[in-house]
Amino acid sequence: MEPTAVQKTTRRVLTRRGVVWLGQTCNQRCYFCYFINRIEDHKHPEHAFMSLDKACRIMDTLRYFYGNRSVDIQGGEPTVYKDILPLVSHCAKIGLYPTLITNGLMLAKTDEVARYRDAGLRDFLVSLHGVGDIHDEVVGVTGAYTKIMAAIEQMQELQFPFRLNCTMSKPVVRTLEEVAQKAIDYGALAMNYIAFNPFNDQETGRRRTDTVPRYSEIMPALTAAMDRLEEAGIEVNVRYMPLCLAEPRHRKNFYNYQQLSYDLHEWDYQSWLWTMMATQMMRDGNPGPPFRLGAGARRLYLGNAVYLRDAYERHPVRRGLKYTAQRLLARVQQLTAGKETLYRKEAIGRAQDDCHYKYDDQCALCNAREICDGFHGDYAEFFGTEEVRPIRDIPCTTDPCHFIREQEKVVLAEDQAWAL
Ligand code: SF4
C-alpha cells in the first residue's frame, strides 16, 4: 500500500520511538515540571545543553543500535538549543524522524514553523496547559498563551502535523473541553491528557494539594472532552490514571505503564532506559555504552551512572567485555522469553519500584488488576485510594492490550511500513 500522510490502525506493536533530553534549560517555569530542580539549578550537570556532536552520537545510537525510527527531542525546551535545526536535519538524514516537544514560545515568530519543516522535522508535540490566563499561570510566563496559539496557527496554515499535550493540574481541569475544542479547530493529530506525571525529581512541596486534583474531580470534564474529541475523530490518550476511573467506552484510551509501549507516540523502554541515564543527559562526558532490555539492564540503569562512565573510560577493555556480554545475553533472553514479556516486566518495575504505585484492597476484586498500575504512590499518600471501582464486566485478563486494542491510532507515513 502506498503510504499516505496519515493512516489509522488498531494494530498494536511495540513503539520504535526514542527520546533524548538535550539539557534542562528552559524559558518557562511550569509548576508541575518534573525537571524543575535541574532547570532552576544552573550548576546541575544536566542543566546546560550538550554539544551538537554529543547529541548526534546519541541519535546515531538510537537509530543504529536500538533500531528506533523516530525520536522525541526535548530540552528543557529544545527550540532554545542553538543547534536545533542541524540536529533535526541529522535525525531526518539517518531515518530517525524527529518530533520536537515544545512549549511553542519560540515558534510564535512568522515563518518559524516553516524553518523546522524545511530542516526535516516530522511533527511538533505542543504543551498546551489550559486556555488564556490559566495556561500563563501554569507555565509561569505572561503572554505565553498568545505565543503558543500563534505557533499553532502557523502549523494549521502550513498543514504541518502537530499533537497536543495537556497536563491536568487543578486550574486546568475546568478548561479541558476548551482545550479539546482547540485540538479540533486547529486540526491536531492527537490529544494527550496527563494526570499526575510520575517521573523524576519533583521534591515534596512541588506537588501540592492545591495544584493536584483528585481523579474524581478530573473525570467529569475529562469524559466530556474525550467524547468531543472522539466524535471529531481525533485520537485521545490519557496517561497514568487507574483504568477503572474511565467510562467503559474510554478504557481503550487509558495508558498505564503496561500499555505505554504500544502507543506509537510513546517511548521505547529499551532505548529510554539508556537515554535517561545521567551520561546521556549531561553536557559533559561521552555517552555511555548502550545495552539491551534483559540480563540486568535495570541494574545497569540504576547503578551510579557517573561511575559507570568513568569506569568505562578508565578500563575500556573490561567495560567493553561486560557490555558485549550483556548485549548477547539480553538478546538471547529476548529471543527465548519474547521481547514483549521483557517490556512488560520493565513496565511493572517502573510502576512498582520507581513510582511506588499502590493498589486499594478492593483491587483484589478487579478483573483488570494484572494490567493496571493502580495509584501513584504520592497520589495515594495525598488522597488515598478509595476512588477505585473494580472492573467486573470483563473476564479476568493479563493482556496489556485488552482495552487499547480497540483504539484507532494515527500512523504517519514514515512509520506505516512497520506499524500498519
Ligand atoms: S486494579 Fe484497582 S485501580 Fe486498577 S482498575 Fe482495578 S480497581 Fe481500579
Side-chain angles (χ1 to χ4, degrees), residues 98-167:
T99 297
L100 286 197
I101 302 189
T102 178
N103 60 39
L105 280 187
M106 300 286 282
L107 301 174
K109 277 186 287 177
T110 316
D111 295 336
E112 203 60 16
V113 169
R115 290 175 67 220
Y116 283 91
R117 177 199 61 194
D118 297 345
L121 191 75
R122 183 165 68 164
D123 65 345
F124 288 103
L125 179 51
V126 184
S127 306
L128 178 64
H129 307 296
V131 293
D133 291 348
I134 291 179
H135 175 82
D136 289 5
E137 180 196 329
V138 169
V139 305
V141 175
T142 306
Y145 181 72
T146 307
K147 289 191 173 171
I148 200 172
M149 291 315 295
I152 290 172
E153 274 165 28
Q154 283 184 54
M155 292 169 205
Q156 183 192 32
E157 266 167 38
L158 295 173
Q159 299 198 322
F160 190 77
F162 71 97
R163 295 172 281 125
L164 293 176
N165 269 351
C166 176
T167 305

Side-chain angles (χ1 to χ4, degrees), residues 186-199:
Y186 289 88
L189 288 182
M191 176 82 238
N192 303 317
Y193 289 109
I194 303 156
F196 188 104
N197 216 326
F199 304 125

